[in-house]
Amino acid sequence: MQENYPMLSVEKALEQILILFAPLPTEQVPVLDALDRVLAADIVADMDIPPLANTAMDGYAVRVADTAGATPEQPRRLHVIDYLAAGYVRSEAIAPGTAVRIMTGAPVPPGTEAVIPFENVQVEGDEILVFKPIALYKNVRAAGEDVQAGQTVLKAGTYLRAQEIGMLAALGHARVTVHRRPRVAVLSTGDEIIDVDDPWQPGKIRDANGYTIASLVRHYGGEPVRLGVAGDTIAELTAKLRLGLDAGVDMLVTSGGVSMGDFDVVKKVLATEGEMHFWRVRMKPGKPLAFGQIQGVPLLGLPGNPVSSMNSFLLFGRAALQKMQGLSPTMLPTRPAILVDPIRRKDNRRHFMRVWLEEKEDVTYAHLTGDQGSGILLSMVQAQGLAVIPEEYDHTPPHFPVQVLLFD
Ligand code: AMP
Ligand code: MG
């Protein structure tokens, strides 16, 4: 079967995967539930923020002309005629020679053009002494200085962080239109795999991938639909995948059963129940990666080794989740670093080495997290990222400059 499927570069594989995904339909959610989701419509302000000019200081709102010529020797004397706390307005203008005691956030009364902080005046009964002229609009925040009515404040496709949620609330959006979260079926395969709470028996190992992948799905904004474990038979695998399809998932993700072993049935099921688009990627770990569709639903067939499956999901599954949520798909964020340990290898694949990072005098040093075997999950547990060794190097010397993909 493998002859018909050339080994793809990471870029080519990603491209072929992403073609099959599109932003999911939208839904309305309460504003707080929109956190970490993707806005599906532009947000145009329907009012100014702040809505009214208001004071930035606790002090006295004054007419600027009343302070002209004031000096320490010849202070101006103003009559305090009103008191305004934040949350209240005075709609009446103030007369020349008067001032209003006012608290931060309160709209400045008509006719006043500046606010003198408490500490700059001397209070005498119901009068204040002003010792120097105040500039026009000093300590006054203009209406619309943050956001102006009619302004497009947030664009469709924006990832909503705390500050965007605050802005949406400030603009009066109790409900927000976002893309639906991708629902992703997660299935582990292998006669040897048992679930976390099954009693251990000789020959068996506990399912790590089902939990790693479900965690990544959730971490990147999806809803995992756990299908558990399927044994290495076509019947069992097909039955489990049907459960996922019946649940209406947007993507199926399996692990295991995609290499050259006698019982690697994922590729067979993919080819008979649907279609397989490609099968191998020029990378390590994670060369065997089957991708195709069953009943129109994309299936990402990850390799079984725990490091490989996580690596492949980080490169490909993550981008698919981003696209379904209305984001532009990206690679993991990168940081340049110096790979301290030398590397030797003989394939022409792109290698992703698990590294921990050390900062020394403004340089980031990357150290291998021990044994880099694709079954060594601890190498991921101890890692902060993946150092990328490009295809063309058969060895790298100590202190080789690399890009590190950071777990985000
Ligand atoms: P496979 O790709 O099915 O040949 O599996 C490759 C290796 O990964 C084998 O040693 C499997 O036992 C192991 N493996 C497969 N699936 C899992 C899983 N869900 N959790 C932990 N190890 C697994
Ligand atoms: Mg297997």
Side-chain angles (χ1 to χ4, degrees):
M1 180 189 261
Q2 57 274 18
E3 304 78 53
N4 311 330
Y5 294 94
M7 199 186 303
L8 301 185
S9 67
V10 171
E11 285 72 24
K12 201 77 204 157
L14 184 60
E15 191 187 309
Q16 289 209 17
I17 289 170
L18 289 178
I19 290 170
L20 289 198
F21 291 93
L24 294 174
T26 62
E27 62 186 9
Q28 286 220 328
V29 297
V31 60
L32 190 52
D33 294 345
L35 180 67
D36 291 325
R37 301 190 60 174
V38 183
L39 191 62
D42 289 354
I43 298 293
V44 178
D46 67 355
M47 65 187 293
D48 285 344
I49 298 181
L52 301 172
N54 65 92
T55 175
M57 302 279 285
D58 298 323
Y60 293 91
V62 298
R63 301 162 64 107
V64 166
D66 284 346
T67 68
T71 65
E73 297 74 35
Q74 301 247 293
R76 291 293 155 116
R77 200 172 270 274
L78 301 176
H79 192 65
V80 179
I81 52 145
D82 204 351
Y83 171 92
L84 263 185
Y88 302 91
V89 290
R90 176 193 159 99
S91 41
E92 233 176 298
I94 70 168
T98 66
V100 170
R101 190 176 163 90
I102 191 168
M103 304 303 138
T104 303
V108 292
T112 65
E113 302 134 331
V115 172
I116 309 176
F118 286 155
E119 50 273 31
N120 294 357
V121 303
Q122 193 179 311
V123 179
E124 283 186 4
D126 59 1
E127 291 184 333
I128 52 168
L129 298 183
V130 179
F131 301 101
K132 60 177 185 194
I134 190 150
L136 192 61
Y137 305 133
K138 183 80 181 166
N139 301 320
V140 173
R141 302 187 282 214
E145 79 165 13
D146 187 1
V147 168
Q148 290 180 3
Q151 184 182 344
T152 301
V153 183
L154 298 171
K155 289 247 178 224
T158 301
Y159 185 90
L160 299 174
R161 306 166 297 170
Q163 50 269 57
E164 284 83 25
I165 297 298
M167 178 59 81
L168 286 161
L171 290 168
H173 293 262
R175 298 178 71 77
V176 180
T177 305
V178 292
H179 290 279
R180 183 164 70 64
R181 284 192 187 283
R183 286 165 54 78
V184 179
V186 180
L187 175 64
S188 302
T189 74
D191 281 355
E192 77 278 34
I193 310 298
I194 54 173
D195 207 343
V196 59
D197 46 5
D198 291 334
W200 181 81
Q201 289 162 24
K204 307 295 181 189
I205 59 167
R206 292 209 180 84
D207 181 11
N209 300 344
Y211 292 90
T212 308
I213 302 308
S215 300
L216 290 173
V217 167
R218 189 177 284 175
H219 182 68
Y220 291 115
E223 282 173 10
V225 177
R226 288 189 19 87
L227 299 180
V229 182
D232 289 315
T233 64
I234 288 179
E236 224 180 300
L237 187 60
T238 309
K240 288 278 187 182
L241 290 176
R242 292 229 169 98
L243 282 179
L245 292 168
D246 291 347
V249 296
D250 304 296
M251 167 160 71
L252 298 156
V253 181
T254 62
S255 67
V258 286
S259 42
M260 302 275 278
D262 295 342
F263 303 98
D264 288 336
V265 290
V266 171
K267 283 183 295 168
K268 281 185 199 130
V269 169
L270 188 52
T272 50
E273 297 289 308
E275 48 181 328
M276 186 158 86
H277 297 331
F278 68 80
W279 167 49
R280 288 169 306 167
V281 184
R282 196 174 298 287
M283 60 188 267
K284 185 178 177 170
K287 177 174 73 168
L289 176 78
F291 181 69
Q293 279 169 288
I294 297 183
Q295 292 177 24
V297 178
L299 183 150
L300 191 60
L302 304 170
N305 276 307
V307 178
S308 313
S309 63
M310 183 173 178
N311 199 33
S312 300
F313 192 88
L314 284 171
L315 294 191
F316 305 113
R318 177 179 168 280
L321 285 172
Q322 288 175 323
K323 191 164 178 195
M324 284 191 276
Q325 287 169 88
L327 291 168
S328 301
T330 59
M331 262 293 152
L332 289 164
T334 59
R335 187 189 302 176
I338 301 296
L339 181 58
V340 174
D341 312 271
I343 307 291
R344 287 205 161 281
R345 48 60 175 308
K346 42 197 176 311
D347 50 37
N348 285 311
R349 290 189 262 157
R350 191 173 306 175
H351 282 225
F352 297 91
M353 318 300 297
R354 276 73 73 208
V355 293
W356 60 272
L357 303 175
E358 183 190 18
E359 304 288 336
K360 258 194 296 189
E361 285 147 17
D362 287 345
V363 179
T364 304
Y365 293 91
H367 303 263
L368 297 183
T369 56
D371 187 340
Q372 296 285 296
S374 44
I376 310 291
L377 188 51
L378 209 52
S379 70
M380 277 287 190
V381 170
Q382 292 166 349
Q384 288 158 276
L386 304 165
V388 183
I389 311 293
E391 289 81 337
E392 58 269 28
Y393 295 94
D394 58 2
H395 72 279
T396 61
H399 289 91
F400 187 72
V402 289
Q403 294 292 330
V404 175
L405 301 175
L406 301 169
F407 300 143
D408 59 343

